[in-house]
Amino acid sequence: MFIDTHTHLYDEQLLADPEQINRAVGLGVTKMYMPNCDSTTIEGMLQIADNWKANCMPMMGLHPCYVKENYKGELALVAEWLGKRKFYAVGEIGLDYYWDMTYKAQQIEAFETQIDWALQYGLPIVIHSRESTADCIDIVRKKQNGKLKGIFHCFSGTLEEAKQIVSLGLYLGIGGVVTYKKTNLPEIINEVGLTHIVLETDAPYLAPVPYRGKRNESSYIPIIAQKIAEITSTPIAEVAAITTANAANVFPV
Ligand SMILES: [Zn+2]
Ligand SMILES: [Zn+2]
């Protein structure tokens, strides 16, 4: 059994394929956690969650790329939803300095506010940290009161940063990038060990080799697990068992 800890199942490219979820479940990817982006993605995400109660779990949060001039209204909506329905994490939240720095201060404010809500509700956080890993770590360190759990999804930092995240008690989300030629992830995975990583696709983005550049989907999780098995010289069944246990440790039942 595998868990995809980060998949945008409600994305239009994926919705166009009604078999995507069946295919994943058929290959043993029995749990898929869906990060929210902003107010426009909630309805589609919750529809999937309602149709696939045993397999597809929703998160609630405002993605840093969607922090714009209306961010206060967007955050109010996140707060409202957290108060009225079960979610499995606050996510995806964080900082993205790659696409746009215009709203950097607001991104930081939104990130910190949403971490406070996660702590209030006893939920883990799923962090998006593009070109911003150091700042995200600083904020998590400031907020870590011993109770904060979470994942640095699509981890793309240095080995040193990976070690800091592990020492803060959070997990590294590893996806298709691990199958690419130019990546430091094999070294990082061998250094921190399987006990600190979880699997993700970030579908429909970042498909693993041999699908690189094409649409990604949750049924590719075993390809990512196989690559990690090779990197760590571990049987894939053990990779599945350990990463599934890690994900179960992060997300509430
Ligand atoms: Zn992300
Ligand atoms: Zn994402």
Side-chain angles (χ1 to χ4, degrees):
M1 179 200 163
F2 298 98
I3 295 181
D4 187 348
T5 60
H6 196 108
T7 175
H8 298 260
L9 295 173
Y10 52 80
D11 182 272
E12 281 171 18
Q13 294 182 62
L14 291 172
L15 280 185
D17 181 352
E19 284 305 305
Q20 51 141 344
I21 298 174
N22 275 327
R23 243 190 332 267
V25 172
L27 288 172
V29 187
T30 50
K31 280 194 178 167
M32 291 160 261
Y33 290 87
M34 299 180 282
N36 190 51
C37 289
D38 72 356
S39 55
T40 67
T41 51
I42 297 172
E43 196 188 327
M45 177 181 70
L46 293 180
Q47 216 159 37
I48 292 176
D50 287 342
N51 290 341
W52 295 86
K53 283 199 170 66
N55 306 104
C56 303
M57 316 333 198
M59 309 180 198
M60 180 47 61
L62 177 62
H63 187 300
C65 288
Y66 300 85
V67 172
K68 309 276 175 190
E69 58 289 332
N70 66 340
Y71 77 104
K72 290 217 186 261
E74 287 282 332
L75 283 178
L77 200 62
V78 169
E80 188 187 322
W81 274 106
L82 284 173
K84 69 182 182 190
R85 189 201 196 282
K86 176 165 181 171
F87 291 97
Y88 291 79
V90 175
E92 55 182 299
I93 61 175
L95 306 172
D96 192 310
Y97 298 165
Y98 175 78
W99 291 107
D100 189 2
M101 294 275 271
T102 313
Y103 294 99
K104 183 181 172 185
Q106 291 84 351
Q107 282 191 33
I108 292 171
E109 182 193 333
F111 186 31
E112 295 194 344
T113 301
Q114 293 182 97
I115 295 177
D116 290 342
W117 292 340
L119 286 168
Q120 185 187 324
Y121 284 99
L123 290 173
I125 54 175
V126 170
I127 302 167
H128 172 105
S129 56
R130 190 141 189 217
E131 311 256 302
S132 62
T133 310
D135 282 7
C136 287
I137 290 172
D138 284 346
I139 290 171
V140 167
R141 185 178 291 114
K142 189 170 81 179
K143 296 286 184 185
Q144 182 53 283
N145 60 0
K147 295 194 171 144
L148 187 60
K149 288 183 173 190
I151 298 166
F152 271 71
H153 114 78
C154 194
F155 175 74
S156 59
T158 63
L159 174 60
E160 187 46 44
E161 288 167 338
K163 287 179 178 169
Q164 290 177 35
I165 289 165
V166 165
S167 75
L168 285 166
L170 277 75
Y171 290 85
L172 308 175
I174 306 293
V177 174
V178 75
T179 66
Y180 301 171
K181 277 209 177 81
K182 272 191 176 174
T183 172
N184 60 349
L185 288 175
E187 183 200 357
I188 288 171
I189 292 167
N190 274 320
E191 194 75 28
V192 305
L194 289 172
T195 48
H196 299 287
I197 70 169
V198 293
L199 306 179
E200 66 168 76
T201 55
D202 202 14
Y205 316 106
L206 297 170
V209 172
Y211 303 105
R212 186 171 184 182
K214 303 214 171 75
R215 190 204 66 176
N216 196 6
E217 60 178 65
S218 286
S219 73
Y220 296 163
I221 279 283
I223 299 173
I224 294 162
Q226 178 59 42
K227 183 71 188 183
I228 294 171
E230 288 164 19
I231 288 167
T232 57
S233 305
T234 309
I236 187 168
E238 205 175 316
V239 173
I242 295 172
T243 56
T244 294
N246 294 344
N249 186 37
V250 173
F251 294 109
V253 179

